[in-house]
Amino acid sequence: MHRKAQYQRRGVSPCAAERCVSRDSMEDYWSEMKSIEEERQGAAEEQTERSSMDEAELEEAWLQEAGLSTLVTGTQSDGPAEALLSTLTHSQAAMVKKRLDNYTQTLRKRNKQPTRHVRDVFSTPDASSELTPPVSPNGRIALKLPQWNSPKVPADSSSSETILLSLDVPYSEAARAHRRDRECQDCRRICKEDRDLPRFQIVRPRQGLTRVSDLSSEDIKKISCISLIELTTFYDFLGIEMKRSRVVRSKARDSGIFGVPLNTLLENDQKKYPGSRVPLVFKKLLSKLEQTGLQTEGILRVPGSAARVKHLRQELELKFYEDRFDWDQVRQNDAAGLLKMFIRELPYPLLTTQHLPAFTAAQSISSLKHQIQALHLLIMLLPEANRDTLKALLEFLRKVVAYEEKNRMSLWNVSMIVAPNLFTFRGKNVKQEEMLSAVASAQLVRILITHQDLLWTVPCFLISHVRKMNEAAAGKKTPTSEKSKRRLLKRWNMEKERERSEVTDLHDGVIRVHAPLHAKVSMAIQLNAEMKARDIMARFDVENGHSIRRQRQHLFETGGNIGERCLDPDAHLLDVYRVNPHCEWVLKSRAT
C-alpha cells in the first residue's frame, strides 16, 4: 500500500505545506519515513525514560533556563537574575511575571508555600502587560527600559522581492499587532505557503553585524536566557502555546560514535584535537560527501546497501578513533546513510528535547517573516554543541542544493528527506501523527537552509540587552570585606595610573588600538563618523608592512559592557565607541 495512503487511513490529514510541494518531494518524504520505520523495527530500541511534568515543574524549568532560578530558590542576591530583570521590556517583564505567578499558584494548589511570592519580585499584582519595573528583594530597581527605535526603510520595500529585516527592535514588540488587531502587516504580505521564498536582507546596523562566533561564551549564555524570554513573549503575542518537553536522562554511552551525546563526543574529540566544535566523525562524513557526493544523482535520497551501512557502522565504532578506518571503502550513498543514522541515533535530538516542541510550533505561524524570527530566537537558544553541529549540517545541505542540476536534489527534495531525521530521534516513542507532522517541518528545514546566514547573526536588540545586563551587574558589585575593598581600590589605582601613562594624549573620540602581534604594538586613532573597523586593520598593515602578518587579524572590542566582540569590518567605530566607551580595542587573530 502507498505510504501516504497508510497514514491517511489512520485519520491523519495532510498538512498545508504538502499542497505546495511536488509529487517527487512527497515520495522522498514517505520513502525516508519507511526507511526510518524499518530501521526501528530491525533493532531493539532503548527507550529513554520520560517523566510527566506538572505546571509547577514546567514553570520552574523555564525560569531556570531563563537565568531566573533565584526567583524559585528564594536566594537573596543582586546577581545576574536581577541584572537581567532590569533590562526587560514591559512585555518581556509581563511574561516573566506570568510564568512566576503560574508557578506560585500551582504550588499553592499543592499546599506548598513558594519561596518567593510574585509580589516580592514585581511591584504590581495584576497581570497587565504594562508592568512597573521588577523589584529586587533588597529594594526596588529603578528600571530604565531600552528605547527601541525602528530604522528607516524604503517606502516601497514591502512590494519588492527583497524584504528588509530589522534586528534593532525586539520581535515581540513588532508582533503586538496580533494581540491589538488580530492582524499583522507582515502576515498580510507574506504567506508561508508561497512556493518561492522571498529574500530577506538584514538592515545593516552601524555597529556592524555580529555572528554567534563573534561573542564570548559568557555573553552567549546571557543571549540564550534573553532569547527564551523573548521567544515566549513573541509566541504569546502570536497566540502560540510555548510547550516544553523534559526527558529524564538515562545512562547514555560515554564512548563510541553512534548513540553518544554530542557533548560527550566533543569531550572525547577535544582530548585529541583541542578546540573541536563539531564531532570529528560528523565532519569526516560531511567531508567525504562534499568530496565525492555533491554531483551524485539522488545523493541523500538513494540509500546505500543496508548490510554494507551496518558493516561500516561497526567498523567506525571499532576503528575510527584508532585512525584505522578505511574511508576509501565508503561509497557516497553509504556516507549519506551513515550521516542520517548518526543524527537519528543521538540520544537527545539535535534540536534538543526541551525546544523541539517550540520548533514544531513554528509550523503554525502564518507569516514567513515571523517564522524566520521564531527560528532566529530558537537558534540563539540552542546549546553551543547543537548549534555548531546544526550549522555544519546546513552548510553542507546548501552545497547539495547548489548542485541541483547535477544531483537532481532540489531545495524541497533535500528538506523533505532531512526533516524526518531532525524531528524524530532514538528513544522517542514516535506516534504516526507526530511523524506526519514532519511534512510541515520540511518548510522549517527549507528556511534553515536558505536563511542560515541570517539565523546565525545575533540580533542587535539581544546584544543591547547583554550590554545593559553587564552594566547593571558591574554597578552592583561591591566589596564584602575591608581586605577586599583595599585590594579593589589598589587595583583601581593601578589601572588608572596605567591609563594615564598610556593615553595622556587621548581625548573624546580618540581610541588606542593594541596590536600585540605587530611591530607597532599600539596606535592612537582619532575616530570620525565614517571610520570603519577595516580602516584600522588597513592602517596597521601600512604601518607594519603586509609581510609580517601571518594570520588575518580582526579588531575586537573587549571589556566595558561586553565580554568580547569581534567587530564586523564594516562596523562604524564611533558608534561602537559611543555604546561602549570604556572598552579596550585589540587587533588579533580569531580563536580557532
Side-chain angles (χ1 to χ4, degrees):
M1 184 184 295
H2 193 280
R3 206 74 193 153
K4 178 177 173 182
Q6 282 186 329
Y7 283 91
Q8 289 177 327
R9 285 201 172 193
R10 294 186 178 105
V12 182
S13 60
C15 67
E18 194 173 319
R19 293 196 295 269
C20 60
V21 299
S22 67
R23 180 184 297 272
D24 288 342
S25 296
M26 289 305 304
E27 289 297 333
D28 291 340
Y29 173 76
W30 300 119
S31 176
E32 193 67 20
M33 294 307 306
K34 180 179 179 180
S35 298
I36 293 174
E37 282 189 9
E38 289 174 349
E39 180 183 311
R40 290 173 183 274
Q41 292 169 1
E45 228 176 75
E46 177 187 345
Q47 295 293 330
T48 306
E49 181 186 355
R50 292 179 173 275
S51 69
S52 59
M53 298 177 68
D54 65 16
E55 279 194 87
E57 291 173 318
L58 285 168
E59 302 297 0
E60 181 179 353
W62 187 92
L63 289 164
Q64 288 177 344
E65 189 177 354
L68 301 171
S69 58
T70 56
L71 303 186
V72 175
T73 61
T75 305
Q76 303 290 305
S77 71
D78 284 332
E82 304 300 334
L84 173 58
L85 287 172
S86 72
T87 71
L88 300 181
T89 66
H90 284 302
S91 299
Q92 292 166 346
M95 180 52 62
V96 172
K97 178 182 182 297
K98 178 180 177 181
R99 305 300 290 244
L100 182 60
D101 193 41
N102 193 31
Y103 170 75
T104 302
Q105 295 298 328
T106 307
L107 285 185
R108 285 181 170 175
K109 290 177 183 177
R110 288 202 228 149
N111 296 319
K112 291 186 178 181
Q113 186 65 31
T115 53
R116 294 176 70 183
H117 193 276
V118 66
R119 287 193 298 269
D120 298 329
V121 183
F122 298 99
S123 59
T124 177
D126 65 58
S128 169
S129 62
E130 298 299 322
L131 292 179
T132 54
V135 178
S136 163
N138 298 329
R140 294 179 181 271
I141 295 176
L143 177 61
K144 295 181 179 179
L145 291 175
Q147 298 298 315
W148 309 109
N149 298 315
S150 300
K152 295 181 180 179
V153 298
D156 61 347
S157 63
S158 62
S159 60
S160 63
E161 184 180 357
T162 299
I163 298 170
L164 296 177
L165 183 65
S166 171
L167 304 184
D168 290 333
V169 182
Y171 298 151
S172 60
E173 294 301 299
R176 294 179 71 176
H178 281 267
R179 174 163 291 178
R180 190 168 55 244
D181 305 324
R182 295 296 174 187
E183 193 169 17
C184 172
Q185 180 65 32
D186 294 321
C187 291
R188 291 197 298 268
R189 191 171 67 209
I190 311 166
C191 175
K192 71 174 182 179
E193 294 171 7
D194 289 344
R195 290 183 61 87
D196 298 318
L197 291 178
R199 291 193 307 120
F200 285 85
Q201 179 180 331
I202 296 174
V203 179
R204 184 174 286 273
R206 287 185 61 84
Q207 294 173 33
L209 296 176
T210 304
R211 310 294 178 186
V212 172
S213 57
D214 292 337
L215 294 173
S216 67
S217 57
E218 286 303 312
D219 284 340
I220 284 294
K221 290 177 184 176
K222 294 168 186 173
I223 291 285
S224 179
C225 293
I226 302 163
S227 296
L228 178 60
I229 298 172
E230 169 63 7
L231 178 68
T232 310
T233 309
F234 181 61
Y235 270 17
D236 186 60
F237 281 135
L238 296 180
I240 297 173
E241 184 180 358
M242 182 74 170
K243 296 180 180 178
R244 290 177 62 88
S245 295
R246 186 178 71 175
V247 175
V248 177
R249 298 178 179 270
S250 60
K251 184 174 176 58
R253 297 180 63 193
D254 57 8
S255 63
I257 292 174
F258 293 89
V260 180
L262 280 178
N263 284 330
T264 303
L265 283 169
L266 285 173
E267 288 172 6
N268 295 336
D269 292 346
Q270 288 166 358
K271 294 174 184 177
K272 189 172 184 178
Y273 299 100
S276 295
R277 300 174 65 90
V278 176
L280 292 176
V281 68
F282 193 77
K283 289 177 65 176
K284 189 64 180 177
L285 286 169
L286 293 177
S287 176
K288 179 70 178 180
L289 284 165
E290 288 180 14
Q291 292 170 10
T292 64
L294 288 179
Q295 300 187 47
T296 301
E297 185 170 342
I299 191 65
L300 296 178
R301 180 201 297 129
V302 180
S305 164
R308 191 167 60 247
V309 170
K310 182 178 180 181
H311 170 73
L312 290 171
R313 169 186 171 146
Q314 294 171 345
E315 289 276 296
L316 278 169
E317 292 280 10
L318 292 172
K319 300 178 180 179
F320 178 74
Y321 282 111
E322 297 177 3
D323 294 326
R324 295 189 298 113
F325 184 76
D326 180 13
W327 285 97
D328 291 336
Q329 66 179 316
V330 182
R331 303 174 186 176
Q332 299 96 315
N333 294 329
D334 298 335
L338 289 167
L339 180 74
K340 292 186 288 185
M341 182 183 293
F342 176 89
I343 296 170
R344 284 197 303 269
E345 296 206 5
L346 288 171
Y348 314 110
L350 189 57
L351 302 181
T352 72
T353 305
Q354 62 268 40
H355 299 306
L356 197 57
F359 274 97
T360 303
Q363 300 167 18
S364 63
I365 299 175
S366 60
S367 160
L368 175 59
K369 182 175 180 179
H370 288 333
Q371 276 189 322
I372 289 175
Q373 290 171 329
L375 291 175
H376 201 177
L377 294 169
L378 281 163
I379 295 300
M380 296 297 113
L381 271 173
L382 289 179
E384 185 177 23
N386 299 66
R387 185 170 50 237
D388 291 341
T389 303
L390 178 62
K391 187 65 167 71
L393 174 64
L394 294 175
E395 288 174 348
F396 164 71
L397 296 178
R398 180 162 58 184
K399 293 174 183 176
V400 172
V401 174
Y403 282 88
E404 178 183 354
E405 290 188 6
K406 296 282 188 180
N407 58 36
R408 307 296 182 188
M409 293 296 293
S410 68
L411 178 59
W412 265 117
N413 292 140
V414 172
S415 300
M416 281 291 186
I417 290 169
V418 172
N421 294 282
L422 282 180
F423 286 84
T424 62
F425 59 97
R426 194 183 73 168
K428 178 176 171 65
N429 186 17
V430 184
K431 298 178 182 179
Q432 302 300 341
E433 291 82 358
E434 292 175 339
M435 297 170 83
L436 181 64
S437 70
V439 181
S441 69
Q443 165 72 354
L444 302 186
V445 176
R446 187 183 180 211
I447 294 172
L448 289 170
I449 295 172
T450 306
H451 298 291
Q452 56 186 278
D453 292 336
L454 184 159
L455 297 174
W456 263 258
T457 300
V458 184
C460 301
F461 65 82
L462 293 180
I463 298 175
S464 178
H465 269 298
V466 170
R467 292 188 189 279
K468 293 178 185 297
M469 281 183 65
N470 290 337
E471 288 171 355
K476 292 182 178 299
K477 288 182 179 178
T478 55
T480 56
S481 66
E482 287 300 320
K483 184 177 180 180
S484 61
K485 288 179 182 178
R486 287 194 299 270
R487 186 165 58 247
L488 183 61
L489 182 60
K490 182 179 179 181
R491 188 170 75 238
W492 279 346
N493 289 333
M494 290 176 62
E495 289 177 354
K496 290 294 183 183
E497 185 63 30
R498 178 177 60 82
E499 289 174 3
R500 279 194 295 269
S501 63
E502 286 187 354
V503 298
T504 53
D505 58 328
L506 300 189
H507 51 84
D508 188 41
V510 179
I511 63 171
R512 180 170 293 279
V513 179
H514 300 273
L517 297 181
H518 287 69
K520 188 169 184 178
V521 296
S522 71
M523 188 185 301
I525 296 175
Q526 173 69 58
L527 300 179
N528 59 55
E530 298 306 317
M531 183 173 288
K532 299 180 180 180
R534 66 170 70 253
D535 300 325
I536 302 295
M537 296 155 61
R539 185 175 298 189
F540 268 87
D541 281 344
V542 171
E543 291 285 339
N544 294 277
H546 296 273
S547 60
I548 69 160
R549 195 179 67 179
R550 297 179 180 176
Q551 288 182 310
R552 185 182 178 189
Q553 305 285 291
H554 298 267
L555 186 61
F556 288 76
E557 59 163 318
T558 304
N561 56 30
I562 203 79
E564 182 176 82
R565 183 171 79 107
C566 181
L567 294 178
D568 179 353
D570 289 322
H572 289 78
L573 296 186
L574 190 57
D575 292 80
V576 178
Y577 170 80
R578 285 169 176 164
V579 297
N580 193 8
H582 302 298
C583 73
E584 291 187 354
W585 306 81
V586 183
L587 196 64
K588 62 179 182 177
S589 302
R590 293 183 66 120
T592 55

